[in-house]
Amino acid sequence: MDLTQFIPSTQEAHAIAAHLPVALSALGVVAVLAAVTIRTQRDTLRWAVVGLYVLLAASAYISVETGENARQEISGAISPAIWEMIDRHERLAERVWMFGLGTAIVMAVSIAASGGSRTSMSLVALLASLVTAGWVGYTGHEGGTLVYHYGIGIPP
C-alpha cells in the first residue's frame, strides 16, 4: 500500500483547510448567542466560545498559508481580471484571523465585565460574531467562485 496516496495535493490541502474557518464562523454565531443568553453561575460556555474563536483564527492562518502554496501552483493562461479576483480573495482571507481573534478578545472581556458592562460586551460579542461570519462567508464565496466558476485550482 502506497501511503502517499493519502497526502493531499497543495490545492486539496487548501480546500480542506479553508472549510474549517467557514464552519467555525457559522458555529460561532450560535455559540455566542447561547453563551450570552443562557444564564449560569460559571463562565464555561463563554470560555469555550473564546477557544472556538482562537481556533478559528489559527485555522484561518493555516488556510492562508495553504492558499499561498496553492496560488504558486496555478498554471495556464489566466486573465488579469481573474488574477485580481485571486488577489482580492487573498486580501480578504488574510484578515480572517483578525476577525476571529477580535471576537475572542471581545468575548473574553465580556467574561471579566459585570452588570451593564457585561451585557454591553455580550452584545458587542454577538455583533462581532455576525461580522466575522459575514466576512468569512464572503471570503469563502470569493474562493468558491474562483474554483467553481473559473476552475482555478482544479486539475486540467
Side-chain angles (χ1 to χ4, degrees):
M1 177 152 123
D2 181 16
L3 294 179
T4 60
Q5 68 185 351
F6 297 110
I7 299 173
S9 70
T10 305
Q11 304 292 339
E12 290 170 329
H14 178 60
I16 292 166
H19 283 86
L20 186 55
V22 173
L24 290 174
S25 70
L27 178 62
V29 173
V30 176
V32 170
L33 188 58
V36 302
T37 57
I38 297 172
R39 304 274 184 219
T40 64
Q41 296 293 84
R42 295 186 176 161
D43 291 317
T44 308
L45 185 53
R46 286 177 184 260
W47 281 116
V49 170
V50 171
L52 182 145
Y53 279 98
V54 169
L55 181 60
L56 186 152
S59 68
Y61 178 80
I62 292 167
S63 181
V64 167
E65 291 299 311
T66 61
E68 288 176 357
N69 292 337
R71 179 189 175 120
Q72 293 173 3
E73 290 187 3
I74 295 174
S75 61
I78 297 175
S79 73
I82 294 175
W83 277 115
E84 176 53 37
M85 281 188 73
I86 293 168
D87 289 339
R88 183 174 55 246
H89 173 63
E90 184 176 2
R91 286 190 308 272
L92 291 167
E94 287 172 343
R95 288 165 179 76
V96 169
W97 74 267
M98 295 177 203
F99 281 92
L101 197 56
T103 305
I105 290 168
V106 171
M107 182 54 83
V109 169
S110 82
I111 294 168
S114 62
S117 295
R118 184 175 179 115
T119 302
S120 296
M121 290 309 297
S122 295
L123 291 174
V124 172
L126 182 57
L127 179 61
S129 73
L130 291 167
V131 170
T132 298
W135 189 275
V136 172
Y138 183 69
T139 302
H141 171 73
E142 289 283 302
T145 299
L146 287 166
V147 171
Y148 298 112
H149 188 73
Y150 296 107
I152 303 299
I154 297 174

